[in-house]
């Protein structure tokens, strides 16, 4: 495919929080998760990304939040590689990405970042009519990024042979839950998710048990979403979250993503639930706590978490839609 001018595309994507999580990759299968997952797309946080391809050549470059970023350049290149192969594009690629929430801190910035990267890159190369290709590009950058291409409640399914698909189960309007994020640490976490997953897979004696529990959790959670069964979804999500962190804590050396404020937030949410408030917690690989609740208790949950010592910021809002193209 012959091109002589710079090609550009821009997209916005939202991070997601997994209720049934994945933690671990499939050996020798690139960046493919070892298991499926179910998530919520967060409409109140976002990543905006612009990708440019220059047929004249030069070096690839990534700018993140206004600063040149060499650490994540390989991840960007992995994401764009399927698109470049399809388009026969051999020139250079540059990307500018910006998050409106803490980056690398356990708030799924890699998911929204790679989803926006894949869609923006596809737009620049005229490949947006192939959603499967966009999904593969997002997956190459981040195992959770395909979920951020979709809105609402999202299921990522993977069969034993490694074939996968990703789709929304319910739109944000079909079950309009709210999410509250208690930010307990603004900076990046000490161990990134990809490194933490591999350490857990190799060294944790609990990893096989974690894998074995996933299929049943995923099917039960899918059923709970279909039935709008908040109580059952709460039970499944909290249990799945704690089992993931138990597997990580069992690694050598142990991976402890919680801090003191994280634990206190969990206790505060459990107290609210004990007092018949419809709310439950989940925590990804990081110290930030996400509380999922029904709309009528949103303010109460925000107030309760905002009073916890060590909570730096409370963010809250609605579920969001999938990634979309924007004017750069």
């Amino acid at each position: 495919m012959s091109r002589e001018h710079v090609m550009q595309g821009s997209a916005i994507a939202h991070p997601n929080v997994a209720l049934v999580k994945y933690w671990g990759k499939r050996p020798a299968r690139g960046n493919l998760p070892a298991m499926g997952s179910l998530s919520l797309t967060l409409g109140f946080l976002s990543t905006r990304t612009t990708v440019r391809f220059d047929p004249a050549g030069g070096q690839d470059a990534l700018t993140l939040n206004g600063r040149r970023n060499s650490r994540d350049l390989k991840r960007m290149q992995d994401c764009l590689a399927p698109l470049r192969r399809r388009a026969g594009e051999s020139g250079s690629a540059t990307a500018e990405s910006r998050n409106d929430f803490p980056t690398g801190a356990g708030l799924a910035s890699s998911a929204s970042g790679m989803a926006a990267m894949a869609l923006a890159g596809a737009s620049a190369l005229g490949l947006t009519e192939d959603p499967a290709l966009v999904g593969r590009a997002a997956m190459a950058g981040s195992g959770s990024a395909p979920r951020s291409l979709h809105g609402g409640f999202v299921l990522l399914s993977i069969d034993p042979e490694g074939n996968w698909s990703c789709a929304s189960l319910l739109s944000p309007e079909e079950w309009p839950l709210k999410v509250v994020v208690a930010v307990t640490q603004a900076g990046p976490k000490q161990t990134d998710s990809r490194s933490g997953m591999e350490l857990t897979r190799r060294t944790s004696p609990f990893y096989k048990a974690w894998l074995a529990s996933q299929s049943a959790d995923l099917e039960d959670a899918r059923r709970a979403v279909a039935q709008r069964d908040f109580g059952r979804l709460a039970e499944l999500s909290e249990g799945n979250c704690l089992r993931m962190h138990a597997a990580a804590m069992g690694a050598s050396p142990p991976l402890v993503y919680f801090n003191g404020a994280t634990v206190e937030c969990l206790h505060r949410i459990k107290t609210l639930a004990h007092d018949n408030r419809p709310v439950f917690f989940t925590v990804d690989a990081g110290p930030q706590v996400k509380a999922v609740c029904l709309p009528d208790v949103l303010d109460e949950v925000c107030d309760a978490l905002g009073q916890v010592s060590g909570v730096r910021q409370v963010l809250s809002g609605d579920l969001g839609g999938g990634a979309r193209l924007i004017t750069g």
Side-chain angles (χ1 to χ4, degrees):
M1 187 179 296
S2 176
R3 294 184 176 89
E4 297 179 354
H5 61 281
V6 174
M7 297 150 287
Q8 176 175 311
S10 299
I12 185 170
H14 305 289
N16 65 76
V17 54
L19 303 184
V20 175
K21 303 181 183 300
Y22 97 85
W23 188 247
K25 308 286 187 179
R26 297 196 178 203
R29 289 303 301 271
N31 201 40
L32 187 68
M35 62 209 73
S37 52
L38 186 147
S39 65
L40 301 175
T41 302
L42 308 183
F44 56 97
L45 307 176
S46 63
T47 300
R48 293 173 179 265
T49 300
T50 295
V51 175
R52 299 179 183 88
F53 293 98
D54 187 351
Q59 293 188 338
D60 291 348
L62 170 65
T63 300
L64 179 60
N65 296 329
R67 295 185 177 182
R68 186 63 65 92
N69 184 309
S70 58
R71 185 191 67 178
D72 294 319
L73 179 61
K74 176 63 164 53
R75 185 184 290 244
M76 178 199 94
Q77 293 169 325
D78 289 344
C79 176
L80 296 178
L83 305 173
R84 292 167 118 168
R85 286 195 296 269
R86 175 67 64 84
E89 181 54 55
S90 58
S92 64
T94 59
E96 297 176 6
S97 191
R98 186 172 296 275
N99 299 315
D100 62 8
F101 59 96
T103 301
L107 289 175
S109 58
S110 62
S112 56
M114 291 300 105
M117 184 82 66
L119 187 57
S123 175
L125 296 175
L127 298 172
T128 55
E129 296 303 313
D130 189 344
L133 175 63
V134 177
R136 290 196 299 274
M139 175 72 82
S142 168
S144 56
R147 301 193 310 243
S148 281
L149 291 172
H150 304 275
F153 295 78
V154 181
L155 177 66
L156 176 62
S157 300
I158 305 177
D159 70 18
E161 287 71 43
N163 302 305
W164 65 272
S165 62
C166 190
S168 293
L169 295 178
L170 291 178
S171 71
E173 296 76 23
E174 289 177 302
W175 197 11
L177 301 183
K178 303 288 187 179
V179 180
V180 180
V181 178
V183 179
T184 67
Q185 177 182 308
K189 54 200 177 190
Q190 287 188 336
T191 304
D192 66 88
S193 296
R194 190 171 293 190
S195 299
M197 289 180 193
E198 179 59 15
L199 180 66
T200 303
R201 185 188 69 81
R202 288 190 296 103
T203 67
S204 176
F206 308 132
Y207 184 70
K208 288 184 178 179
W210 158 249
L211 276 179
S213 71
Q214 286 302 97
S215 179
D217 276 4
L218 198 58
E219 177 56 27
D220 286 350
R222 185 199 62 76
R223 189 179 302 112
V225 169
Q227 297 172 350
R228 277 68 156 185
D229 187 339
F230 187 89
R232 181 60 178 150
L233 187 62
E235 179 182 7
L236 286 162
S237 298
E238 291 184 348
N240 188 268
C241 165
L242 295 178
R243 283 193 295 276
M244 186 202 90
H245 282 278
M249 290 178 189
S252 181
L255 285 169
V256 182
Y257 286 105
F258 294 175
N259 58 32
T262 305
V263 176
E264 183 54 37
C265 284
L266 302 190
H267 285 301
R268 193 65 58 94
I269 292 167
K270 293 304 291 181
T271 298
L272 288 170
H274 186 265
D275 291 338
N276 296 316
R277 304 303 192 271
V279 60
F280 64 87
F281 68 76
T282 190
V283 186
D284 290 319
Q288 329 300 1
V289 177
K290 294 89 174 181
V292 182
C293 65
L294 295 185
D296 58 348
V297 298
L298 174 63
D299 290 344
E300 188 173 1
V301 173
C302 289
D303 290 344
L305 295 180
Q307 293 171 15
V308 172
S309 177
V311 170
R312 297 167 176 261
Q313 185 180 15
V314 175
L315 308 168
S316 67
D318 300 327
L319 306 187
R324 63 191 184 275
L325 296 175
I326 57 174
T327 301

